[in-house]
Each structure stands twice: as structure tokens, then as C-alpha cells.
Amino acid sequence: MSSPRTVLLKVFRYGPDDAAPRYDQFRVPAGPRTTVLDALLAIRRRQDPSLTVRHSCLHGSCGTCGMRVNGREVLACVTRLDGLGDPVVVEPLAGAAVAGDLVVDMEHVYRRLEPVGRPLVRASERAGKNDTKADPGPLLEDLERFEDCIECGLCLSACPVAGDPRFLGPAALAAAERVLEEPRGTDGRAVLGLVDDAHGAWRCHLAFECSAVCPAGVDPGGAIMRLRRRVLADRLPRLVGRYHQEVPS
Amino acid sequence: MMRAGLRRGDGRRLVPRWLDPHGRHLGTWAFVANRLTGLGLVVYLYLHLVILSTLLRGPEAWDGLVELFRRPVFLAFDVLLIVGLAFHGFNGLRVALVGSGLLVDRRKGLLVAAGILVGLVTLVAAVRIVG
């Protein structure tokens, strides 16, 4: 019987007590369905129990195992080793404080999301056809549901300009666009004011990496562009109106 | 706590985060190219002004410089300058359109069109400069 294929993993290591980060190398057995997270957990079990990895659901819906594999942001639990080459470089998300090895502090994601208000729509809030009390509004199926966002922070790591902590970032801007699309009592004017800023929607440089790496198909880049169109539609008539007031013909 | 990024084995960052192209898509390459050509054009502008100041030293100094710039290596730099100018200009138009929320779904097609225009402009310019 032939021995199973193995893959070399170069894993980023850094802890609060370390003077500098380093890359440790581990060789792990890899079958056709072995995921990066499987390999990391196997390392913890059999080679180095001190390796810090965060995970929860194991099927790509909780967003806790976000990391960079060969320089690209992925959810480790749904990313197979097969096809990634040898060696595979595993690093924590970029632009975030590393708490330990592959785990980053997610505070920078939540801090950015907080001001725009996260539009969470529960099934119980859906207005049915027979519901005469509530205005059903547009059908949810017709809207791009930002509640698909799993707050994994992959978009922030991939964005080339999100290193600036003042930038609201793709996830928060996409959330803002979703709030404006379906306000549900939120003050749209305040949200529009928040995003119409040099560090808001206008800070985006159109790399669209956020949309490329989003594991939930939210398309934050597209949402930011819709947000800009909305801001321009709001701003231009006011600018033209002011011009006519100041320069009477 | 420390911040992660593209680092060497000893942990030192190799390039700024915005210039880290590892595993990135076409959009990031266009962004990086736009920024680099922009920075290059700013450097060229100042260089150009410094070169023009040679005129203050009389026609002989200026003619000598013109003679120097007719050498093949400087003509190649001229072509490179045209590439930078054309890319920054055409991609700038694309960024202005898409960045205003227009033709967002056709951004890749627009980038390809900008690339074709850059190629055509460069070809014509190269023939005129070198020929």
C-alpha cells in the first residue's frame, strides 16, 4: 500500500511573548478533500499543540477561520489543500493586530461596522402577503441581502487601502448601502453623511479585491459604487441649486 | 501585538501593503499600475522642469542636452513615458466612470479597452519617436 501524499505547510507564528514573527514548517498528509483547516488542526493534534487557530462551524458560515493562504484571503474550513501547490504558505489576515499565530483581533471589523448599523433581517420580520399591518416594501429576494455578510474580515484584509484605520472599509460601506436600500427606520441622511467622506465611499480605489475574496457573495465593491451613485444623485441637485442661488442669471 | 503582511522569514515587511501583489486580481494590478504611473509622472514633471532650467545657461548647454537625449536609451525612456501617460489617462477615465457608479459591471471590459488604447498610442508614439 502506497503512503498518502504529504504537503509542506509554512505557517506564520507569532505570540505576545515573541520578539519577532517566524514561519514554522510542518509536513502533513493530504487527501483530495483535506482542507487547510483540517491540516492545521492535524498539526495541533500531532505536531505542535501550541499552534493558535480559530474556527467554529467548519462549513464556511461563521467566518471565524479567515486567513491568507498563498497570499489570498480564504476561509480555511472550505479551502482544500489540493491544487494549492507545495509548499503552502499560511498567514493571518492582513491589516489586523495578530493575537497569536493565525488569529487576529477582529475589533477593527466590528468598530467599522458599528456606526452604520448592521442591517440584520430575521425571518420573523418578513412581511407576508396577508400581513395588512406592515408595509411589505420590496421583496427580499429582489434585494442583494447584505445580511449574507458573515463579518469574517476577508474584505478588509484584501483591500489595498484598508490599512488606513480611518477608512470605513468594504464591509461597513456595503452595510451602509444596504441600510439605505432598506432603511427600516434608520436615519438614511445620517448614514449618507457618514459615507460621503474622504474616508468613506470616496476612499475606495476600485481594486474590487473585496468582492473577489468575499466568501458570501456580498460584492462589497459593487455596493460601494452604488453608494457613490446615490451620494452623487443626492449631492448634484443641491450643488446646482446653490449655484443658481449664488449666480442669478 | 504586531500586524501581519507580506514579510520575509525574519518578519520584516517586503513592500507597503498597497503594493503587495501576491495572489491579487486584475483590479489591484490596475490600481497599483495607476498609482505607480501617477508617481512616475509627478517625478517626471519635476525632472522636466529641472531640465528646462538648462536654458538659463545658454543655447550651447541646451543643444548639448538635446543631443544627449537623442541617444537610444533616452528615446526608450520617451516611449516609457508615453506608456505611463497613456495608461494613467485611459485608466483614469475608466476609474472616473466606474467610480461614479457607471458601467460597474463592465469594469473589466473597460480595462481591456484601456489596455488596447494604451497599446495603440504606444505603437504610434514609438514609430514616431524612434523612426
Side-chain angles (χ1 to χ4, degrees):
Chain A
M1 196 175 126
S2 63
S3 56
R5 188 175 80 93
T6 61
V7 172
L8 183 70
L9 259 64
K10 285 187 173 179
V11 183
F12 179 93
R13 303 300 300 271
Y14 177 77
D17 299 330
D18 296 337
R22 66 183 191 279
Y23 288 83
D24 284 352
Q25 301 193 13
F26 305 96
R27 191 157 279 286
V28 291
R33 299 178 68 87
T34 306
T35 66
V36 174
L37 185 59
D38 290 336
L40 293 170
L41 295 178
I43 291 169
R44 269 177 63 95
R45 276 194 304 271
R46 299 189 187 111
Q47 300 185 51
D48 186 349
S50 71
L51 178 65
T52 311
V53 187
R54 179 172 52 207
H55 74 91
S56 183
C57 74
L58 295 169
H59 60 259
S61 65
C62 73
T64 55
C65 65
M67 56 188 72
R68 286 181 302 150
V69 175
N70 288 347
R72 187 163 162 72
E73 287 74 10
V74 296
L75 294 180
C77 68
V78 289
T79 304
R80 289 182 185 172
L81 275 179
D82 205 23
L84 289 178
D86 192 358
V88 175
V89 181
V90 187
E91 297 166 301
L93 295 179
V98 177
D101 298 338
L102 300 171
V103 177
V104 297
D105 186 349
M106 297 297 282
E107 184 270 341
H108 71 300
V109 178
Y110 309 136
R111 175 177 50 76
R112 284 166 151 122
L113 278 165
E114 211 58 53
V116 294
R118 279 168 275 186
L120 301 172
V121 182
R122 295 171 185 82
S124 59
E125 288 180 319
R126 293 189 186 207
K129 284 181 181 174
N130 298 327
D131 188 348
T132 53
K133 292 177 186 172
D135 174 12
L139 287 174
L140 284 176
E141 290 73 16
D142 297 336
L143 299 167
E144 195 167 345
R145 296 189 61 198
F146 182 70
E147 42 278 27
D148 285 344
C149 174
I150 54 176
E151 300 175 13
C152 58
L154 264 57
C155 55
L156 271 170
S157 174
C159 174
V161 292
D164 182 349
R166 296 169 298 177
F167 177 38
L168 274 174
L173 288 168
E177 198 271 337
R178 185 69 183 86
V179 167
L180 292 169
E181 186 69 33
E182 194 184 10
R184 291 178 173 257
T186 310
D187 180 8
R189 178 63 54 188
V191 174
L192 209 57
L194 184 73
V195 301
D196 185 11
D197 184 87
H199 299 298
W202 303 109
R203 187 76 177 85
C204 171
H205 282 258
L206 284 75
F208 286 90
E209 283 296 338
C210 52
S211 298
V213 302
C214 179
V218 168
D219 186 19
I224 295 171
M225 295 310 116
R226 289 195 296 276
L227 204 53
R228 283 185 175 189
R229 204 165 51 199
R230 198 184 282 269
V231 169
L232 285 174
D234 177 70
R235 215 197 243 193
L236 284 177
R238 283 191 286 133
L239 281 174
V240 173
R242 189 183 301 165
Y243 174 81
H244 281 299
Q245 278 175 0
E246 289 172 1
V247 188
S249 53
Chain B
M1 287 189 184
M2 63 154 299
R3 291 181 181 279
L6 185 62
R7 293 165 189 276
R8 292 203 296 232
D10 60 2
R12 279 190 292 168
R13 190 183 286 277
L14 284 170
V15 292
R17 189 177 162 200
W18 67 266
L19 192 51
D20 184 351
H22 199 57
R24 295 297 171 217
H25 292 87
L26 198 59
T28 295
W29 282 101
F31 158 69
V32 170
N34 208 56
R35 186 168 272 195
L36 289 179
T37 51
L39 289 171
L41 291 175
V42 169
V43 170
Y44 171 75
L45 176 67
Y46 284 101
L47 204 63
H48 186 62
L49 292 174
V50 169
I51 289 165
L52 280 182
S53 70
T54 313
L55 282 167
L56 296 172
R57 290 196 274 135
E60 291 79 17
W62 177 252
D63 288 346
L65 208 58
V66 168
E67 207 53 47
L68 177 74
F69 289 153
R70 282 189 179 143
R71 288 183 185 176
V73 65
F74 285 103
L75 294 181
F77 273 122
D78 276 353
V79 175
L80 194 66
L81 175 69
I82 297 294
V83 173
L85 268 171
F87 179 81
H88 201 76
F90 289 125
N91 187 55
L93 286 173
R94 180 190 76 94
V95 168
L97 271 174
V98 177
S100 303
L102 303 169
L103 301 172
V104 177
D105 294 336
R106 305 200 174 199
R107 58 184 181 270
K108 279 185 186 167
L110 286 172
L111 186 59
V112 171
I116 291 169
L117 287 170
V118 171
L120 286 173
V121 168
T122 304
L123 192 68
V124 172
V127 168
R128 289 182 69 92
I129 289 170
V130 180

